Amino acid sequence: MKTKSMLGLAVLAVAGAAWWLSAPPEHIRPAPAYRMGEISAAMQAARVPDDLAPTVSGLDLPGHDDVLIQEHSGQAFITARDGWFWRLDLASGKAERFAQTPLVPSGARFVPGDDNRILFCNSHLYGFTPEREAPVGVYELNIATRAIRPVALRVPLPPALDPDATLGSVHPLGQGAMAVAAMNEGNSRTVAFCNDLDISRDGKRVYMSEPYAYPGAAMGEAAFEEAVSLANNGRLWMFDLERETAQLVVQDLHFVDGILIDRGSEDGQGVEQSLVISETPKFRMLRLFIGGERAGTAEILQEGMPGMPDGISRDEQGRLYVALFSPRTAIATWLHANPWLKPLILRLPHRLFSEQKQTGFVVLDPSGKQVLYWLMHDGSQVRAISKVLPEQDGIYLASFARDNHGAHRIDYPPPLRD
C-alpha cells in the first residue's frame, strides 16, 4: 500500500509540474463566457452552393494577404508570406518578386490619387525569420523606384484595457487629448502588430488595426492563444500624416482585423465619420462612429457569422466583400460559451488542432447590415482566403495558406454582376 501511495503522489507531482510548466504567459487571460448564437436566418437564406472554380495565374506566388490591381499598367502588387511584394503581369500570368520588405507585408492600399505609392502593414509572421530585425508598423512602397520607407512606427501610450467591455471604447477624432505628436519613449510605444489599414480619401489619415500588443505578437499561428482567450486586447489607431500625430480610435475589442472607411460618411471638411471593422475570432463585424451625432459609439453589423471575417473591400456599387478565413465550428462556439475549459486548451500543443480547409466570403449591402451572397468552399481550389478584391475583370481571392501557389480569380457570379 505504501508503494502505491508513493506512486500516486509521484504521478500527481509530475502532473502538477506539467500543468505549471505548460501554463500560458500571464498576459493570456481568457475572457468571460461569450455566446455567439445561431447563424441568422437572413445569412442562411443568402447562401449559395460551393461552385468555386478560380483561374490561377503566377504559380510561383506563395501565400499572400492582399492584392492590389493597377489596371492602367496591367499588373498587380501582392503582399506575400515570404516577406516580399510580388508583381503579377495580368496579361501573361507571370509573377515575380518585386521588392523585399523589412518583415512580412499584409494589408495594403494605393495612396489616393497616386497609385505609384502603396502604404502597407509590416509585421512578424509565426515561423518566419527576417534577415535582420526591423520595426513593426506602416511602410510605403514607391513602385517606380522600389524604395521602401517607414511611415508610422509608434503609437501613443493607451489607457488600461477594460476586459468587460462589450462594444469597445471609441474615441472620436479631434476630441480630448488623444492625439499625440513628437512621440518618444515617454509618451508612446512601438507598434506591436500592424494587420490591416485604410487611407482617407484625401490621403492625410491612415487607420491601422493592431489585433493585440503583447510580446510575440505576429500573424499566423502566433495568434492561437489570443483567438482562444477571446480577450479585449484589440486596438485601432489613426495616423494624421499632415499633422504628424497619432491617436487611439478604439480599444477594448477582440482582435481588430479588417478595416474599411465608410465612403460617403465624410463631414463638411471631408473627414470620415465612421469605419467598418471585423473582430475575426469573435465572428462579428462592427461600425465605429468617430464623428457626427453618434461619435464615440459602435453598432453591430453582423454577428454569429459562419466564418471568421477577415479583410474587407468594396466594389463600385459600395457593396462590402468580406473574406471568411476559416469556418465557424461547433467546438469554437461551445468553447467560448464555456471558458472554464480554456486553461486546458491553452496548455496543449498547437499541432493537436488541425487547420480548417474550408474558406469563403460574404457580400453585404453598402450598409453592412443586409447579406446579399455568401459561400463556404471546401478548400479544394483555394484555402485561407484573407481578402476578397472586386475588380473590373473579376474577383481576386487572396490566399494566406502556407502552401498556396498562385493568384486566384473568379468571374462575378450572376447575382453580383449588376
Side-chain angles (χ1 to χ4, degrees), residues 143-189:
I143 294 174
T145 65
R146 306 195 189 194
I148 291 176
R149 70 175 184 90
V151 172
L153 305 178
R154 300 189 71 87
V155 292
L157 294 177
L161 292 163
D162 180 0
D164 299 318
T166 57
L167 278 180
S169 304
V170 183
H171 302 277
L173 299 187
Q175 295 186 20
M178 298 304 299
V180 175
M183 287 181 285
N184 53 51
E185 293 293 337
N187 64 9
S188 66
R189 63 165 171 81

Side-chain angles (χ1 to χ4, degrees), residues 38-188:
E38 299 295 327
I39 298 173
S40 71
M43 180 74 76
Q44 293 283 23
R47 184 170 188 173
V48 299
D50 173 15
D51 58 357
L52 206 60
T55 58
V56 184
S57 56
L59 294 178
D60 293 331
L61 178 67
H64 51 280
D65 179 76
D66 212 340
V67 179
L68 296 180
I69 305 296
Q70 195 179 61
E71 292 177 348
H72 68 82
S73 65
Q75 57 188 347
F77 297 92
I78 300 171
T79 58
R81 293 178 61 108
D82 63 354
W84 284 74
F85 262 91
W86 281 64
R87 179 171 60 184
L88 173 68
D89 185 287
L90 300 179
S92 68
K94 294 181 179 180
E96 62 179 357
R97 282 178 165 178
F98 182 74
Q100 186 175 20
T101 74
L103 298 171
V104 176
S106 56
R109 307 274 181 180
F110 286 117
V111 174
D114 183 3
D115 66 359
N116 181 60
R117 294 187 296 141
I118 295 172
L119 296 188
F120 64 96
C121 280
N122 216 219
S123 294
H124 294 283
L125 170 66
Y126 182 86
F128 177 87
T129 302
E131 292 183 0
R132 61 184 64 85
E133 192 52 56
V136 172
V138 178
Y139 285 73
E140 178 189 277
L141 167 64
N142 185 301
I143 294 174
T145 65
R146 306 195 189 194
I148 291 176
R149 70 175 184 90
V151 172
L153 305 178
R154 300 189 71 87
V155 292
L157 294 177
L161 292 163
D162 180 0
D164 299 318
T166 57
L167 278 180
S169 304
V170 183
H171 302 277
L173 299 187
Q175 295 186 20
M178 298 304 299
V180 175
M183 287 181 285
N184 53 51
E185 293 293 337
N187 64 9
S188 66

Side-chain angles (χ1 to χ4, degrees), residues 360-376:
F361 67 93
V362 59
V363 182
L364 308 172
D365 77 332
S367 75
K369 297 180 179 180
Q370 181 182 352
V371 185
L372 304 177
Y373 177 102
W374 74 278
L375 62 80
M376 188 62 69

Side-chain angles (χ1 to χ4, degrees), residues 215-235:
M219 295 182 283
E221 294 178 26
F224 174 82
E225 287 87 357
E226 183 67 9
V228 170
S229 74
L230 216 68
N232 289 337
N233 294 321
R235 294 185 174 95

Side-chain angles (χ1 to χ4, degrees), residues 15 28 34 113 128 183 192 194 205 222 227 235 252-253 258 261 301 360 387-388:
I28 305 295
Y34 179 74
F128 177 87
M183 287 181 285
C194 178
R205 291 166 298 283
R235 294 185 174 95
D252 304 327
L253 290 174
I261 296 171
L301 298 179
K387 212 161 198 178
V388 181

Side-chain angles (χ1 to χ4, degrees), residues 343-361:
L344 172 60
I345 299 298
L346 289 167
R347 285 170 163 83
L348 298 176
H350 297 180
R351 63 179 179 273
L352 295 181
F353 301 90
S354 59
E355 182 178 337
Q356 298 292 324
K357 293 183 178 180
Q358 289 182 298
T359 190
F361 67 93

